[in-house]
Every structure is written in structure tokens, then in C-alpha cells.
Amino acid sequence: MLHSLYIKNFAIIDEINVKFENGLNIITGETGAGKTLIIKAIQLLLGERFTGEVLRTATDQMVIEGVFIENEIKTTIRRLYQLNGQSRSFINDEPIKQKDLLNITRHLVDLHGQHEHQNLLDVNTHIQYLDAFGMYSSDLIILKSLYNERQAYKKNLDNLKKEQNELEEKKALHKFQLNELEMYPLSEEHEKQIADRYQVLANAEKIKDSLSASVDIIDNGQYSILKRMNELKRNIHGIENHNDKISEVYDRISSNLIELDDILKIMHDINMGVSINNAELKEINEILNHFELLKRKYGGSMASVVQYYNDIQVAEEKTDGNNKEIQNLSSELLLVQKKLSLQAELISGKRHKTALELETSILDNLQQLNMPNTDFKIRLSIDADKMNELGIDICEYFISTNKGETSRPLSKIISGVSCINQSPFLISLSS
């Protein structure tokens, strides 16, 4: 609660220190005495921006300081405003920015004032005041939990249905894409094999000519490499045992002859495997062209094509799985909805009982304030279509301040009163 308020050089106020007590604190005075300035000072204390006219004439600094005590913890807020337009704010002597001050103080005080945004005059807050008076907070917690659970189910279900619709819309497209993606095996390894085969087929004639010429060099003719190497081996044979180095040379010649013979065999096998096949070349070329088409359409590389293909398969599988999940979520949502409706009806019954008790309490207090002709009513109605975390009830306060007058909405009747409310603390200003 607000324990004390110190004001210096604010408008017509030279210096004042106001102390407050628990319960109802009333400040009265003639028009122009400065009652509203106290409310204005509290608004500035809570973070409202300063304007030049608030500074007392012929002074260079305004000071507003308030002490709040909650659970025996004291919080001091001080705001300074200079003649040059600069302002500073402090909480417990620590500097704080104006926007941060607003966030901290907005829970300290509930302000109701003429021409202000007033929580009490906001119909949407009436049900919260009623619930605060009631004794069913645990039921409200359950209601909020069920409502949030329902909203989560609805959100998940809506997202799933949206996703399902998108998948259904893409089903025909996916079918077409799968047809072209499944024409040939998709992998970087397979693409390389096809590309290598193309190179062989495209250059078959050149490869066969080169291999044939190479085979002739190695094995055909009087001066072939194999014949000359065998001749070299025969020349060395017989003297290799006379010297270690000659023996090493002989062994190397023998080894090279074996290697050369193996090379000859491989070249012969390659040559036999290479054929000039224009039909196969055409087929391989079509496959490569198809791969290039897929890469242009689906990401630029064979890896991206494979990834896209896998994604489509997952999407197709998900289309079937979503239908089952939608059915399950719909059933679970229906169960939660039933629990929520029952809980809302339970609270609605308690609210109607609480409304009568609150009406009686407020009327008793109005009698003590010498307002015997005032009538106060709480009107509750039910709208199941507007279910929210507070239930299905619509609550509004009605009041009549003169005998014989019809009760009207509180927001249409109340005017000319400023007050600050922080339960159990209340300040009321009146002339």
C-alpha cells in the first residue's frame, strides 16, 4: 500500500507530506484546493511523463516521492523534474528508466479517475472483481487449466488440418513429381557410374584405337616391348649370380616382365569390353539429361534431388498419418470441451450466489456512507459461445444513486470522483 507521499514545487503545492493509513482515506476540500493534484502527483510517481506546466512558478526543480509498504517490505520511489525539462527517476535510490518504472509500478496501484481509463468502469473487469470477492479461486484455476488445454488442442488440430489441406492440395503435384523422380535410381554414386559409362561410349572408337596401338607396342612386332624385355632378361641370365647388383637388376627385369604382362592383359580386357553402341549411348545420354533436369528443378545437385524425393515420400506418408491423428485429437478435444463446460457451469452457479453476497455487502457500505437511496445490482448472463478462461458468464455492474431512478450501467453513472484502489487501501477525493 501507499504509506506516504511527499510533494514539493508541484503546481500550486509548495511542499506537503501526506501520510495514509489502512482502509478508507478521504481527502476533501473546496474546488481548486489541490485535491486532484495529489492524484496527479501519484500518477507522475507511477511513471507518467512530466510536462512543463507541472513545475511551480519561480522554482527550478520538482520532487515527488512515495513510500510503498507491502509484506513489510518498503519501496521508495522518487521522481525529479528540472526547469530545463530533464527528469530522473529512482527506486530505492537506484536510477531507473521511465518505461521500466511504468512496468514495475502498474501492479502497485489501481487508479480510477474522471476522464481516465478506469478498470472499475471497464465492463470486462467486473467479473474479475466479483471472482476476487468469491471463495472459488481453486475452481477458477481448474477452469483456466482446462481452457488452456482446450485451446492447445484446438491450435494443434487447426494446424494439423491446415497441414493436411496443404498436403491434399499438393497430392496431384507430388504424384507427378514422384513419377519423374522414380524413372531412374537416384544417388550420387549412380550418377557418377552413368557419367563414366557415357564417357566410355562417347569415346569408344578413340579408346579402342589407342588400346589396340598400345597392345601392338607391348606385344606385336619384332621390336615389341615384351620381346625386347625377354631378350634383355636372357642376356643377363647366367651372370646374375656373380654380383649382387647384377642379381638385383635381373630380379627387377623379371618383376617388370610380370607387371607388363599383367598390363597387357588388362588393356586387352578393356578393349574387349569397349564397344561402339550408339543405341546405348543414346539411352545413357537421355538418363544424364533427365538427371540435369531434376537438378535444375530440385536444388541444383543430385544430393538435393535425393533430399527432395525423400521429403515427398515423408509427406505422402504423413498425409495418411495425419487423418488418424486428426481423429484422435478431435476425440480428445471433445472430452476436454465437456470437462470445461461442466467446470464453467459450476463456477457460474457459484458466481450467481457470490453476486448476491457482494450486492448486499456493497449496499451495506453505501448505507454507512449515508447513501440510503443508492441501489446496486450485479447482472450476470450466460453466453456459452463466448467461452474464455473466465468461463461463460458476462458480468456488469448497475447502479442507481437516486430513489425511483432505474439502475443504469456503472460506466454511465459514475463521474466526478477520483480514487486510488489497492486492496485493502482506498483513497477517495471529493469536494
Side-chain angles (χ1 to χ4, degrees):
M1 58 166 279
L2 179 59
H3 180 262
S4 64
L5 178 67
Y6 173 76
I7 306 171
K8 183 177 181 181
N9 296 332
F10 178 40
I12 64 171
I13 298 176
D14 178 15
E15 187 173 18
I16 187 174
N17 194 352
V18 184
K19 293 187 179 296
F20 302 100
E21 301 295 336
N22 285 339
L24 180 63
N25 294 256
I26 300 177
I27 301 173
T28 64
E30 297 178 356
T31 301
K35 303 183 301 298
T36 305
L37 289 177
I38 293 177
I39 297 295
K40 184 65 177 177
I42 295 175
Q43 290 175 321
L44 292 171
L45 186 67
L46 299 177
E48 186 176 295
R49 289 187 179 278
F50 290 103
T51 55
E53 66 272 11
V54 298
L55 186 63
R56 180 175 170 82
T57 304
T59 61
D60 58 5
Q61 178 175 269
M62 181 183 70
V63 180
I64 299 177
E65 182 175 297
V67 177
F68 295 84
I69 298 178
E70 184 175 1
N71 298 326
E72 299 184 354
I73 298 175
K74 184 172 75 171
T75 301
T76 301
I77 300 175
R78 184 170 70 256
R79 299 200 72 197
L80 307 177
Y81 181 74
Q82 307 286 343
L83 180 62
N84 60 9
Q86 294 183 345
S87 65
R88 291 181 294 165
S89 305
F90 302 86
I91 293 184
N92 295 332
D93 294 325
E94 292 292 330
I96 188 171
K97 294 180 180 179
Q98 185 253 349
K99 65 177 182 179
D100 296 329
L101 179 63
L102 282 170
N103 289 331
I104 292 173
T105 61
R106 69 189 184 92
H107 298 295
L108 287 176
V109 170
D110 186 10
L111 181 66
H112 312 281
Q114 187 177 18
H115 310 306
E116 300 283 349
H117 171 73
Q118 302 169 21
N119 286 342
L120 187 59
L121 303 187
D122 181 358
V123 175
N124 295 321
T125 66
H126 289 184
I127 198 168
Q128 297 175 30
Y129 289 124
L130 175 63
D131 289 342
F133 187 79
M135 302 295 292
Y136 44 87
S137 59
S138 59
D139 293 319
L140 287 170
I141 292 172
I142 295 172
L143 176 71
K144 185 175 182 180
S145 176
L146 286 170
Y147 177 79
N148 290 336
E149 187 177 359
R150 186 196 73 165
Q151 293 303 99
Y153 274 122
K154 287 184 67 176
K155 182 179 179 181
N156 290 338
L157 189 58
D158 289 342
N159 289 338
L160 202 58
K161 286 181 177 179
K162 182 180 178 182
E163 182 183 54
Q164 184 68 3
N165 289 336
E166 292 174 352
L167 290 173
E168 292 291 346
E169 290 174 359
K170 292 179 179 179
K171 196 170 184 67
L173 174 62
H174 285 171
K175 183 178 180 180
F176 170 80
Q177 290 175 334
L178 284 172
N179 286 336
E180 67 177 2
L181 286 166
E182 292 175 343
M183 286 182 66
Y184 306 105
L186 295 177
S187 71
E188 292 178 309
E189 181 181 358
H190 182 65
E191 182 188 23
K192 185 178 184 305
Q193 291 174 352
I194 294 296
D196 290 345
R197 182 59 179 163
Y198 175 81
Q199 290 297 323
V200 171
L201 290 172
N203 298 279
E205 186 173 351
K206 181 180 179 181
I207 291 172
K208 289 184 73 66
D209 289 345
S210 296
L211 288 174
S212 296
S214 299
V215 167
D216 288 341
I217 291 172
I218 294 174
D219 193 36
N220 292 331
Q222 182 179 357
Y223 299 104
S224 68
I225 296 175
L226 274 177
K227 288 182 178 179
R228 299 291 288 173
M229 288 288 290
N230 280 312
E231 185 178 346
L232 177 62
K233 181 180 179 181
R234 287 193 296 271
N235 285 337
I236 300 299
H237 182 64
I239 63 171
E240 71 273 16
N241 294 324
H242 301 318
N243 183 280
D244 289 342
K245 289 187 177 181
I246 295 176
S247 177
E248 181 183 348
V249 168
Y250 182 82
D251 291 340
R252 291 176 66 183
I253 292 172
S254 299
S255 177
N256 284 330
L257 275 170
I258 294 172
E259 182 69 17
L260 191 60
D261 190 61
D262 188 56
I263 291 173
L264 179 65
K265 183 178 183 304
I266 292 172
M267 291 177 68
H268 180 74
D269 291 342
I270 293 173
N271 195 26
M272 292 295 293
V274 175
S275 61
I276 301 174
N277 189 332
N278 291 327
E280 185 184 359
L281 177 62
K282 181 180 179 181
E283 181 183 349
I284 293 293
N285 188 53
E286 288 176 355
I287 295 174
L288 289 176
N289 288 337
H290 186 72
F291 284 165
E292 291 302 316
L293 172 66
L294 296 180
K295 288 191 286 186
R296 288 196 301 270
K297 291 178 68 174
Y298 304 118
S301 68
M302 181 54 69
S304 63
V305 172
V306 172
Q307 182 61 52
Y308 189 82
Y309 174 69
N310 292 335
D311 291 343
I312 290 181
Q313 288 186 313
V314 171
E316 289 297 292
E317 293 173 3
K318 202 169 188 180
T319 302
D320 298 329
N322 278 359
N323 285 324
K324 186 175 181 180
E325 191 173 353
I326 287 172
Q327 291 177 355
N328 292 337
L329 276 178
S330 298
S331 299
E332 292 171 0
L333 175 60
L334 185 60
L335 290 175
V336 173
Q337 179 66 51
K338 289 180 179 179
K339 292 180 182 178
L340 178 62
S341 297
L342 290 173
Q343 187 69 12
E345 291 170 5
L346 172 68
I347 290 174
S348 181
K350 294 186 177 183
R351 278 190 179 128
H352 279 78
K353 181 180 178 181
T354 301
L356 294 175
E357 296 172 354
L358 181 56
E359 284 177 3
T360 302
S361 177
I362 289 174
L363 288 171
D364 289 344
N365 279 276
L366 290 172
Q367 291 289 333
Q368 295 178 27
L369 293 172
N370 197 25
M371 300 176 67
N373 296 323
T374 301
D375 188 30
F376 179 80
K377 295 290 183 184
I378 298 176
R379 294 187 183 178
L380 281 170
S381 59
I382 294 175
D383 190 345
D385 293 332
K386 294 184 178 180
M387 171 78 76
N388 56 42
E389 62 182 11
L390 296 177
I392 55 178
D393 297 301
I394 299 173
C395 177
E396 186 171 6
Y397 298 164
F398 283 72
I399 192 169
S400 170
T401 56
N402 296 302
K403 191 173 183 179
E405 287 187 357
T406 303
S407 296
R408 297 175 60 199
L410 185 65
S411 59
K412 307 296 183 182
I413 297 296
I414 299 298
S415 64
V417 176
S418 296
C419 63
I420 298 171
N421 178 31
Q422 184 187 1
S423 180
F425 178 72
L426 178 71
I427 301 174
S428 178
L429 305 185
S430 61
S431 57

